[in-house]
Amino acid sequence: MENVFFIDNSILQNSLTKIRDKNLKPSLVRKHLSVIGKILLIEALKNETLELKQVETWFTMDNFPVMNEDDYVIVPILRAGLPMMEGCLEILEDAKVGFLAIKRDEETLESKVYYERLPDLKDKTVIITDPMVATGGSLIKAIEIIKSRNPKKIISLNVIASKEGIKKVSKFKDVLFYIGAVDPILNDKGYIVPGIGDAGDRCFNTL
Ligand code: PRP
Ligand code: URA
C-alpha cells in the first residue's frame, strides 16, 4: 500500500485523543478536526511544485516561491468533512471548494450521494476531507465521482480508518491517502471501535 501514509504527528494524536473523549463538546470536536485537517494537509503538500512570484519586500523587489493555490480544490464529504475543510482553507486561502454529500444507510451500510456541487476538476489537485473510513463505501463513491472529472491528482485526508476500509480504498493506486490513525475494530453496525462515534453527529450536536 505505497499510496497510504500514516501520519505519526504528536499534535495530531493529541487532538485525536481529545476527540475520542465522548464528552468533548461539538464546538471542540470541530476545532480539533480542523487542526487535524491542517496537519494532514501540510504533510500531503510538503513537496509541491512551487512557482516564482515577484514580491516587493521591505528592502527589495525579488522573486520568491509560491504555490498556485488556484490549482487546488478541496472537497469535503458532508457532513463530517466540513471542519477538516475549514482547517485546509486556513492554509490554502485561495483554493476552490466543491461539495459531495454522502450518507450511509444505517441498516445496509450502503452509501448514497444526495448532493453534488463540484467546480471544474480537470487538471486540478483535489483534496478530499472525510474523518472516517469505516467500510470505505463513502470514500469509494467520492473517488469514483471525482476521478470521472479528470483531475491531475487526488489526495484523501482521513482521521481514522479501519483496516478493512484502507484495504478497499487503497485499490485506487493513483489516489494518495493521508491517515491519522488505524483503529482495530469495525463492528457489526459499521462503526470504528474505539473510534469517535458518529463523526457527523459529534460535529453538529445531532446525537
Ligand atoms: C460518516 C463519515 C464517512 C462515512 C464512513 O458519514 O463521515 O463519510 O460515515 O463510513 P463508510 O466508510 O462505511 O462509508 P455518515 O454517513 O455518517 O454521514 P454524516 O457525516 O452526515 O453523519
Ligand atoms: N462513520 C462514522 O461517523 N463513524 C464510524 O465509526 C463509522 C462511520
Side-chain angles (χ1 to χ4, degrees):
M1 293 198 298
E2 58 286 349
N3 55 333
V4 181
F5 303 94
F6 301 103
I7 306 309
D8 186 17
N9 174 296
S10 309
I11 296 175
L12 185 158
Q13 298 304 332
N14 186 54
S15 280
L16 177 51
T17 298
K18 290 183 184 185
I19 299 169
R20 287 188 192 279
D21 180 344
K22 66 182 280 202
N23 295 313
L24 190 72
K25 62 181 187 174
S27 61
L28 291 178
V29 172
R30 295 194 300 271
K31 176 183 156 182
H32 288 288
L33 284 174
S34 163
V35 168
I36 295 173
K38 254 186 229 176
I39 294 169
L40 292 174
L41 183 78
I42 289 168
E43 196 58 41
L45 301 185
K46 69 182 177 192
N47 290 319
E48 289 298 275
T49 305
L50 300 170
E51 44 192 63
L52 290 178
K53 181 184 174 199
Q54 196 175 57
V55 178
E56 184 179 6
T57 70
W58 204 256
F59 298 110
T60 61
M61 189 67 99
D62 268 310
N63 290 321
F64 294 95
V66 287
M67 287 170 65
N68 185 355
E69 296 188 15
D70 210 43
D71 280 350
Y72 295 82
V73 183
I74 299 165
V75 178
I77 311 300
L78 274 51
R79 295 175 294 167
L82 286 169
M84 294 176 75
M85 172 205 74
E86 292 286 352
C88 292
L89 284 174
E90 281 180 28
I91 296 174
L92 289 183
E93 294 161 3
D94 293 327
K96 299 176 194 302
V97 180
F99 295 92
L100 283 177
I102 302 179
K103 178 82 192 97
R104 286 197 321 179
D105 181 305
E106 300 293 338
E107 300 299 320
T108 65
L109 299 185
E110 207 199 316
S111 304
K112 287 220 165 63
V113 179
Y114 61 92
Y115 181 73
E116 178 186 322
R117 180 136 191 201
L118 296 168
D120 185 8
L121 301 183
K122 187 159 170 17
D123 297 330
K124 301 288 185 193
T125 294
V126 177
I127 297 157
I128 301 171
T129 63
D130 190 348
M132 310 304 278
V133 185
T135 65
S138 303
L139 189 51
I140 287 173
K141 278 251 153 70
I143 291 170
E144 284 170 347
I145 293 170
I146 291 165
K147 271 174 81 79
S148 72
R149 312 289 172 91
N150 300 311
K152 177 169 80 183
K153 189 170 171 184
I154 304 175
I155 293 169
S156 178
L157 307 182
N158 310 103
V159 179
I160 306 181
S162 71
K163 290 198 187 95
E164 295 89 328
I166 298 175
K167 203 165 162 206
K168 276 204 214 143
V169 298
S170 65
K171 72 177 185 187
F172 292 100
K173 294 289 174 214
D174 49 353
V175 179
L176 301 176
F177 299 88
Y178 289 81
I179 293 174
V182 179
D183 277 8
I185 298 165
L186 183 62
N187 75 14
D188 57 4
K189 293 197 158 55
Y191 279 90
I192 294 176
V193 180
I196 61 171
D198 185 305
D201 287 341
R202 296 278 320 276
C203 288
F204 298 111
N205 200 17
T206 50
L207 287 166

